[in-house]
Amino acid sequence: AQRVTQPEKLLSVFKGAPVELKCNYSYSGSPELFWYVQYSRQRLQLLLRHISRESIKGFTADLNKGETSFHLKKPFAQEEDSAMYYCALSRKAAGNKLTFGGGTRVLVKP
Amino acid sequence: DAGVTQSPTHLIKTRGQQVTLRCSPISGHKSVSWYQQVLGQGPQFIFQYYEKEERGRGNFPDRFSARQFPNYSSELNVNALLLGDSALYLCASSGLAGVSTDTQYFGPGTRLTVL
């Protein structure tokens, strides 16, 4: 069975500092990886997906199949980045059903 | 479009009771998925429906059931409620169900408290 692990429950950084959220997965096949974000009082929404290879709001994430990781990075954190972040995985053979990690709360201090 | 809508927003039940949660997908979306999010944890997949047929079921007991209607809205039913069923129940819709990269759009959730 697939599993997604986010080892940090809370990341606290100062504005302008780099931030990296770790995500490790276990799955023997070819996964699709996503990062979802939930801002305060808002619903869960897609931030980015590995297949798009895009940068959203300054965030990037690289899929490392050798290390089975999909870490999320931003070089200069902003206060509006404070939110809950979830890494998620879907299996090609199982459609778009998502397996989520436990989430990391990011707090960007002024 | 208001996006995915869910009702009710909050619900309080007692142990042993039954509850029905409702979800309306984004217009044009034919797939609805249900997730349970216990406080402090990530969402956990419960069910997925596409074109009124069940396409997947997570590791949940038979007390949990769901269905999808011809207008693609969906209901999640939980019987014989336990304290451990207290959680935020999320509904997500997508255009497709068989494409692993198809984005899921989430509703605001229904907060269920079991006393």
Side-chain angles (χ1 to χ4, degrees):
Chain A
Q2 67 276 11
R3 186 180 181 89
V4 178
T5 303
Q6 295 179 248
E8 303 121 339
K9 286 286 188 184
L10 173 66
L11 274 181
S12 182
V13 300
F14 284 102
K15 177 183 174 181
V19 61
E20 180 179 30
L21 290 74
K22 290 184 169 52
C23 171
N24 290 93
Y25 67 91
S26 61
Y27 176 56
S28 57
S30 296
E32 305 290 349
L33 275 299
F34 307 83
W35 277 99
Y36 277 80
V37 61
Q38 187 167 29
Y39 300 103
S40 179
R41 301 184 188 281
Q42 295 186 28
R43 60 187 67 189
L44 196 60
Q45 59 186 287
L46 178 67
L47 178 62
L48 58 78
R49 70 187 84 189
H50 91 271
I51 195 170
S52 300
R53 298 184 180 277
E54 57 197 345
S55 173
I56 303 295
K57 298 184 179 182
F59 285 98
T60 58
D62 290 319
L63 176 60
N64 186 325
K65 292 187 176 180
E67 296 183 358
T68 60
S69 68
F70 188 55
H71 303 329
L72 183 68
K73 303 175 184 178
K74 185 169 183 177
F76 308 103
Q78 302 300 314
E79 290 183 67
E80 55 265 29
D81 297 327
S82 295
M84 197 73 188
Y85 292 79
Y86 295 96
C87 182
L89 172 157
S90 67
R91 300 178 291 140
K92 286 182 179 177
N96 63 350
K97 296 181 283 293
L98 295 168
T99 299
F100 284 90
T104 298
R105 179 167 298 281
V106 172
L107 177 62
V108 181
K109 297 177 286 187
Chain B
D1 193 341
V4 177
T5 59
Q6 293 185 245
S7 63
T9 304
H10 297 89
L11 206 51
I12 298 176
K13 293 285 188 178
T14 56
R15 282 177 296 176
Q17 285 190 311
Q18 175 263 342
V19 68
T20 298
L21 311 181
R22 295 175 176 83
C23 170
S24 292
I26 291 172
S27 177
H29 283 186
K30 298 181 179 180
S31 176
V32 169
S33 299
W34 288 95
Y35 293 83
Q36 180 195 63
Q37 187 173 21
V38 173
L39 193 63
Q41 298 181 19
Q44 187 174 357
F45 172 74
I46 310 175
F47 281 112
Q48 184 177 61
Y49 276 78
Y50 180 72
E51 291 276 18
K52 302 186 294 293
E53 291 189 2
E54 184 181 304
R55 286 296 188 93
R57 182 185 183 117
N59 188 23
F60 280 81
D62 291 343
R63 300 184 296 108
F64 289 76
S65 64
R67 56 179 176 168
Q68 187 177 33
F69 299 98
N71 66 353
Y72 304 113
S73 67
S74 178
E75 285 183 351
L76 175 70
N77 296 283
V78 187
N79 293 322
L81 285 167
L82 303 174
L83 294 179
D85 295 331
S86 294
L88 181 69
Y89 288 84
L90 297 170
C91 174
S93 78
S94 60
L96 304 168
V99 179
S100 59
T101 55
D102 196 35
T103 300
Q104 293 208 29
Y105 296 86
F106 284 83
T110 293
R111 172 74 61 189
L112 173 64
T113 301
V114 182
L115 302 176

